Amino acid sequence: MGHGETSKGWALIAPPALYALALLALPLGAVVVLSFFTQDFLTLDTTPTLENYRIVLTDPGFAGQLPRTLLVRSVTIAGLVTVCTVLLAYPVAYYVSFHVAPERKSLWLFLITIPFWTSYLVRVFLWKVILNFDGVVNRTLLNLGWIDEPIRAFLYSPAAVVITLTHAFAPFAILPIFVALEKIDRPLLEASRDLGEGTLRTFARVTLPLSMPGVVAAVLIVFIPTIGDYVTPRLVGGPDGLMIANLIQSQFGRLSNAPMGATLAVIAMASVGLISLLFVLATRRWTR
Amino acid sequence: MSRRWLLLYVVLYMALLYAPIALLPIFAFNDGQVIAFPLQGFSTRWFEGLWTNRTLHSALWNSLVVAVISSVLAVVLGICAARASARYAFRGQGAVMGMIMVPLVLPEIIVGVSVLIVVNTVLGLPLGLWAVIAAHVLICTPFAVAVLSGAFQSLDPAMEEAARDLGETPWGAFRTVTLPLVAPGIVASLLICFTISLDEFIIAFFLTGASPTLPVYIWGLLRFPADLPIVMALGTLLVLASIVLLTMAEIFRRRGAARAGRKDSGGFL
């Protein structure tokens, strides 16, 4: 690594790095600073205080919703979505990696990613149509004679949020697991079978542990963004399915209390960051 | 036996993945105000309504402007980052690349909120499409880097050196040797960034101000049951547009892989 190499590399990477610094690092800093301010109607009080944090963490009836309840619910929903997404995605990644001919793999990945890129809002709304009182699921169950009257509980529930988000993030979980599976040396698996291990035991003792880096990446790439979704809870969640992002959004919109919104954003980010960090540490022995 | 079950599972999974999108055209051509079964008969009136809707046209125009500018800027930044990480090894490279790629996993609401605070509270400027563009460049750049890295990493640095030995300037060598080889990757990343920006709602909702982008306009329609069939028709067209754009991106990406003589490992990420 020569000196010229370093300066050339830095000169080239400077524009995107400075852009990320200006549009990401500095604004995130501004969020943290603002979270220590308070706002009284339209006047911003810039005396640093922990008042917002006190209100969020201890006040029982804040803004009609308990921030703590919403936070716990958001983490629970995001956790459930992550578990469902990754468990459901693994067999698909496995199939594409081990049973699809190499020249057809990119076509499969392309087909898997397409729904992910297409009109997010409309996709979430379609789940509302599917789960609705007179929606596709209820109609089908009625026609099959499995139920006598439509089930209202499908829509406007935390379960509806979990289903919709699991569907939305499916490709995000498949890709990292696929990449990890692709890296596994195939002779290793043959060796395991030659040594008398069955298919299932080979999977449990060789394939699964070796694919763990992909699973961990999939968990993080699903769990972290899920917390920040306010469209899905708003459209299909109902009052019991609202998440922390809805509260953040309303602070900047209807309630116009930006410092409180910033505090909620900081707390949400800190919770997600802490959980992700603990998860990474807990899975270290497989990913190292 | 177990392999057959696996295939069955995968087929079912793919069917469910596409099921909601498959409903779009069904309701878009349905001659009924309510989005539910049973269907009322065939009609193209929801599509016809789209042609005369002025608000829709201006929202579409806003979205196109945002998507074109964002994707071009994101790809330019992406080229810098992808080439720097593929061509040079320097101290702090991992950390800087990490910072550039972070928006890929950051919750979008955090990006929206933080840019909103800077524009509104720190700078005291009015919101508008420029703020949406600034934030979209940020979230599109990692996708551009991901697509372009593949293209740049497979290049043999000796080719560019050979051009320099034959008297080309550094820029000339880049333009005549490297650029043609990575051109398909650039087109692919442009198309992907364009698609992401065109479809992005969460950030745009915070920053768009008085001139809504298309997704923000659609969000407004979702509140009125009478407008829902129009959303279905619009959604059908948007899904078609996304599929066309992404198919083109995939074709270019593969062409790039073939041109660089690289084995195609597939996938955008």
Side-chain angles (χ1 to χ4, degrees):
Chain A
M1 187 195 302
H3 177 70
E5 184 100 319
T6 300
S7 58
K8 269 185 202 164
W10 272 105
L12 195 54
I13 210 163
L18 289 176
Y19 194 83
L21 200 67
L23 265 288
L24 189 69
L26 293 181
L28 284 181
V31 173
V32 175
V33 171
L34 191 66
S35 74
F36 294 112
F37 296 166
T38 47
Q39 184 160 320
D40 191 17
F41 294 105
L42 289 174
T43 34
L44 187 68
D45 183 355
T46 55
T47 331
T49 166
L50 288 170
E51 183 61 14
N52 289 336
Y53 287 89
R54 190 193 65 75
I55 294 174
V56 169
L57 295 174
T58 63
D59 206 325
F62 162 80
Q65 287 272 5
L66 285 167
R68 247 184 318 172
T69 318
L70 282 187
L71 189 63
V72 171
R73 185 193 293 156
S74 305
V75 169
T76 315
I77 288 180
L80 279 172
V81 170
T82 310
V83 171
C84 295
T85 317
V86 173
L87 283 183
L88 291 172
Y90 197 102
V92 181
Y94 184 89
Y95 180 82
V96 177
S97 180
F98 286 91
H99 295 308
V100 170
E103 66 274 11
R104 312 210 66 175
K105 280 180 184 175
S106 57
L107 177 67
W108 272 85
L109 292 181
F110 179 62
L111 288 176
I112 288 166
T113 31
I114 272 202
F116 175 74
W117 304 100
T118 47
S119 200
Y120 162 75
L121 265 187
V122 175
R123 254 185 311 141
V124 175
F125 177 75
L126 285 168
W127 275 102
K128 194 171 164 171
V129 174
I130 293 171
L131 299 170
N132 212 348
F133 180 70
D134 50 4
V136 179
V137 173
N138 269 322
R139 285 272 165 196
T140 314
L141 293 178
L142 278 174
N143 289 341
L144 288 170
W146 290 6
I147 52 173
D148 294 327
E149 53 184 83
I151 300 172
R152 286 171 188 276
F154 284 144
L155 193 60
Y156 304 128
S157 66
V161 179
V162 173
I163 293 173
T164 308
L165 284 174
T166 301
H167 184 264
F169 279 92
F172 250 20
I174 293 177
L175 292 177
I177 299 173
F178 169 79
V179 170
L181 288 170
E182 283 291 280
K183 284 186 185 150
I184 298 175
D185 265 336
R186 303 300 140 120
L188 217 55
L189 304 179
E190 281 160 33
S192 165
R193 283 194 204 107
D194 290 346
L195 291 170
E197 297 277 34
T199 312
L200 264 183
R201 278 173 65 97
T202 300
F203 174 77
R205 294 180 59 171
V206 184
T207 315
L208 187 60
L210 285 175
S211 66
M212 275 313 274
V215 174
V216 171
V219 165
L220 294 179
I221 218 170
V222 174
F223 181 72
I224 300 174
T226 311
I227 290 278
D229 192 282
Y230 59 83
V231 171
T232 308
R234 174 73 84 76
L235 286 181
V236 304
D240 293 333
L242 285 184
M243 287 165 71
I244 192 79
N246 297 97
L247 197 53
I248 297 175
Q249 193 257 317
S250 65
Q251 294 298 326
F252 286 97
R254 198 161 43 84
L255 302 172
S256 92
N257 187 346
M260 185 56 83
T263 307
L264 290 166
V266 169
I267 290 175
M269 276 307 285
S271 316
V272 175
L274 190 68
I275 295 168
S276 304
L277 190 67
L278 289 176
F279 178 75
V280 169
L281 290 177
T283 52
R284 261 199 95 121
R285 70 193 173 100
W286 291 296
T287 51
R288 248 201 299 226
Chain B
M1 187 62 202
S2 72
R3 192 172 156 177
R4 205 175 294 167
W5 283 110
L6 188 61
L7 178 63
L8 184 70
Y9 173 81
V10 172
V11 168
L12 212 67
Y13 186 98
M14 294 299 281
L16 276 175
L17 205 56
Y18 279 88
I21 301 176
L23 288 175
L24 264 181
I26 295 178
F27 288 118
F29 288 108
N30 177 33
D31 189 24
Q33 192 75 248
V34 184
I35 309 294
F37 291 107
L39 300 173
Q40 306 289 317
F42 183 85
S43 162
T44 55
R45 63 176 164 135
W46 309 119
F47 288 94
E48 284 152 21
L50 298 178
W51 291 113
T52 52
N53 187 332
R54 283 280 173 80
T55 338
L56 165 67
H57 294 170
S58 78
L60 176 64
W61 175 249
N62 288 341
S63 269
L64 290 176
V65 169
V66 168
V68 167
I69 300 177
S70 307
S71 55
V72 170
L73 292 176
V75 168
V76 169
L77 292 178
I79 291 173
C80 294
R83 181 167 156 90
S85 73
R87 182 85 161 73
Y88 306 104
F90 53 91
R91 195 173 297 178
Q93 193 177 23
V96 179
M97 283 305 284
M99 187 174 73
I100 295 168
M101 299 303 278
V102 147
L104 204 59
V105 290
L106 209 61
E108 287 183 334
I109 191 171
I110 300 295
V111 176
V113 161
S114 61
V115 175
L116 174 74
I117 286 175
V118 168
V119 172
N120 243 355
T121 315
V122 180
L123 300 174
L125 296 171
L127 293 167
L129 294 180
W130 68 275
V132 182
I133 293 171
H136 278 186
V137 172
L138 184 75
I139 60 158
C140 288
T141 305
F143 286 97
V145 174
V147 176
L148 289 164
S149 284
F152 275 101
Q153 252 147 22
S154 59
L155 285 181
D156 187 354
M159 289 195 282
E160 214 174 287
E161 275 159 32
R164 302 242 6 229
D165 291 343
L166 292 170
E168 280 284 2
T169 59
W171 168 245
F174 178 76
R175 197 175 54 81
T176 55
V177 177
T178 307
L179 215 49
L181 286 171
V182 296
I186 292 175
V187 177
S189 55
L190 274 173
L191 290 167
I192 286 170
C193 292
F194 181 86
T195 315
I196 294 172
S197 171
L198 197 66
D199 190 43
E200 202 289 324
F201 167 73
I202 290 183
I203 295 172
F205 185 63
F206 275 98
L207 302 175
T208 191
S211 40
T213 60
L214 194 55
V216 176
Y217 172 73
I218 293 177
W219 176 253
L221 290 184
L222 290 180
R223 278 182 299 159
F224 305 106
D227 288 336
L228 293 180
I230 301 173
V231 174
M232 296 290 121
L234 194 53
T236 307
L237 296 179
L238 284 177
V239 166
L240 277 178
S242 300
I243 292 176
V244 169
L245 284 168
L246 293 168
T247 309
M248 280 161 60
E250 175 69 5
I251 290 169
F252 276 104
R253 199 190 57 76
R254 285 194 194 184
R255 190 175 292 173
R259 200 179 281 186
R262 151 168 52 102
K263 196 175 130 267
D264 188 13
S265 56
F268 291 130
L269 294 174

